[in-house]
Structure formats: C-alpha cells, structure tokens
Amino acid sequence: MATIFSLPIFSEIILPFLLVFAIIFAILEKTKILGDDKKQINAIIALAVGLLLLAFEEPRMIIGKLVPFLAVAAVVILIFMLLYGFVGGTKEGGLSKGLTITFGIFIAIALVVAVLWVTGAWDKTYTFLTSGDWANDIWINFIFIAVVVGAIAAVIASSKSK
C-alpha cells in the first residue's frame, strides 16, 4: 500500500527541505548571530539554505540516508533514558549513585542485545563471539580486564569513603 510519505517527491524533496529549514532556523534563533528579534531574516536565510539543498542531489541523498539512522538512534536513546529514569528515581528518593550506575550499565547492555536481536544481527554476533580458535582467548582476556577494572574501582571507592 503506497502512501503520500512513500512518494519520491515527499521523501527526497519536501522532508529534507523542511528538516534543513527547521535546523538552520533553530540554530540562527538560538545563537542570535544576526541579533535579537530577527525572526524574518533568520527565516529568509533558512529558506535560502533549504532551497540551495534542493539544487544539489548528493546532499539530499546523504540526508536521506542519515535520517533513518537518526530516527532509530533517537528511539534507542529515548528507551535507554526512560529505563534509566525508572531506576535512577529522583534526588529525594531512589538508589545510591553506585547502584544507579550499575543498573545503567545493565540497561545499556540489555538495550544493545535487544537492538541486535530486533535487527536480526544477534545470531551472527553470537556466532562471531563464540566460534573460532581465538574466541577462548578473547573471553579470558575480557574477564581478566573486567576483574582488574573491578579491583581498581573497589580501591578507588574505598579510598573516597575514608
């Protein structure tokens, strides 16, 4: 089923133009390069840059390829922040700083695994990490480094508490 959003004129011209216009306008408004209360001038400059984008195909194609990645990355970051917010709580209540960081690390690892699973890359990643002659050496070194980092963190944490 085709929608208006799948038409090339919409996805290759209208949306990139609107995105560039909005970003340039927001940057000009936030930085106030041209002065305070210059919305009309900022809009004209943003319009000119957006129209210049339409004149060249390669920048439009780059934007077209980057925006889906931006959307997926924004959703993944939002999910991480929501889960981390549930764990962290507020300043008045919630877990200690160490537990919050620990849960944040676990949430990040779980989110990476979830993204790998959803994209179908989990089987390839698991096979890559567990097969081959070098796999045992990599995991032994990883565990060794984790133990060393944990020991250093424990020493630093105990020295701060004194």
Side-chain angles (χ1 to χ4, degrees):
M1 181 170 104
T3 66
I4 190 170
F5 299 114
S6 64
L7 294 175
I9 191 168
F10 197 78
S11 62
E12 295 176 10
I13 294 175
I14 295 172
L15 288 179
F17 168 76
L18 288 175
L19 179 66
V20 169
F21 175 82
I23 289 172
I24 298 297
F25 184 76
I27 289 171
L28 291 172
E29 283 290 308
K30 182 69 175 171
T31 60
K32 299 180 183 177
I33 292 174
L34 303 174
D36 291 332
D37 297 325
K38 302 287 184 180
K39 288 186 190 268
Q40 293 87 1
I41 295 173
N42 291 342
I44 290 171
I45 291 173
L47 177 67
V49 172
L51 290 173
L52 279 171
L53 171 76
L54 297 181
F56 301 100
E57 183 178 358
E58 191 167 335
R60 281 196 326 262
M61 293 302 135
I62 291 171
I63 291 172
K65 290 178 182 175
L66 284 177
V67 168
F69 173 76
L70 169 72
V72 171
V75 169
V76 170
I77 291 170
L78 174 67
I79 291 170
F80 174 79
M81 291 170 58
L82 284 171
L83 292 173
Y84 189 75
F86 290 146
V87 171
T90 62
K91 289 186 179 183
E92 294 83 27
L95 303 173
S96 67
K97 185 177 179 182
L99 280 176
T100 303
I101 291 171
T102 303
F103 278 119
I105 291 169
F106 285 133
I107 290 169
I109 292 169
L111 195 57
V112 166
V113 169
V115 168
L116 288 173
W117 177 72
V118 167
T119 60
W122 175 252
D123 293 333
K124 293 176 187 174
T125 305
Y126 181 77
T127 303
F128 175 75
L129 291 174
T130 58
S131 65
D133 297 333
W134 55 270
N136 288 335
D137 295 337
I138 293 291
W139 285 108
I140 290 170
N141 287 327
F142 177 76
I143 292 170
F144 176 73
I145 290 170
V147 169
V148 169
V149 168
I152 291 171
V155 169
I156 291 172
S158 67
S159 67
K160 284 185 180 180
S161 64
K162 290 183 180 181

